[in-house]
Amino acid sequence: MSQYFDMGDETLWNPSNGAAQLFVRQVRLYEDVLGVPSGIGPMESDECQVDPVVYEAFVGTLLAWRDRTNHGIVDALSAGFIATALALGERARIRVDWPEPRMGHEGRTDIQAPAPPQHDWAGTAREQARELQGSMAR
């Protein structure tokens, strides 16, 4: 069994039920955390619609949120979801506005003490999204 993420008549992604349910539940969690809608509609009869305009804003907010953190656990918990969200966004042909790289703690909202080593989370997310793209069935 599988479920469909569609944009109009175009199928963007056709994952297994388990993968789809996990992704949709994480979408709902991040909608709550970010305070913005995702553009991922309800799953009805194994199909949901993706609104690319709303989804683009959601992904932009998600990346800005991630950029404001410097916490190893937040990174570990969010990395796979962000990569999957980006891969789906690529399928939906959304524009991705990457935040400017941030150094130090200024403007950050979630900081681990002691701070983990700085790393290029955005570059890692891009790479993971590219890898996932190839395994996302349509």
Side-chain angles (χ1 to χ4, degrees), residues 1 28 59 70 72 96 104 111:
M1 297 294 298
R28 302 302 176 231
V59 170
N70 188 24
V96 176
I111 301 169

Side-chain angles (χ1 to χ4, degrees), residues 68-128:
R68 288 189 306 271
T69 67
N70 188 24
H71 200 290
I73 302 301
V74 171
D75 184 44
L77 290 171
S78 63
F81 176 74
I82 290 170
T84 306
L86 287 167
L88 182 61
E90 178 71 23
R91 294 272 175 96
R93 297 174 296 284
I94 67 168
R95 186 185 80 243
V96 176
D97 290 325
W98 290 93
E100 290 294 321
R102 186 185 296 258
M103 300 303 283
H105 297 303
E106 187 175 331
R108 293 196 189 268
T109 57
D110 204 352
I111 301 169
Q112 179 178 327
Q118 294 279 337
H119 76 284
D120 180 16
W121 71 266
T124 300
R126 284 184 189 101
E127 182 178 320
Q128 288 176 328

Side-chain angles (χ1 to χ4, degrees), residues 2-36:
S2 61
Q3 298 183 329
Y4 294 84
F5 291 83
D6 296 332
M7 187 173 67
D9 292 335
E10 178 185 358
T11 296
L12 301 174
W13 185 28
N14 178 226
S16 68
N17 287 346
Q21 289 172 5
L22 184 59
F23 180 71
V24 169
R25 288 182 178 158
Q26 287 183 320
V27 164
R28 302 302 176 231
L29 169 74
Y30 281 97
E31 285 177 323
D32 187 49
V33 168
L34 302 172
V36 299

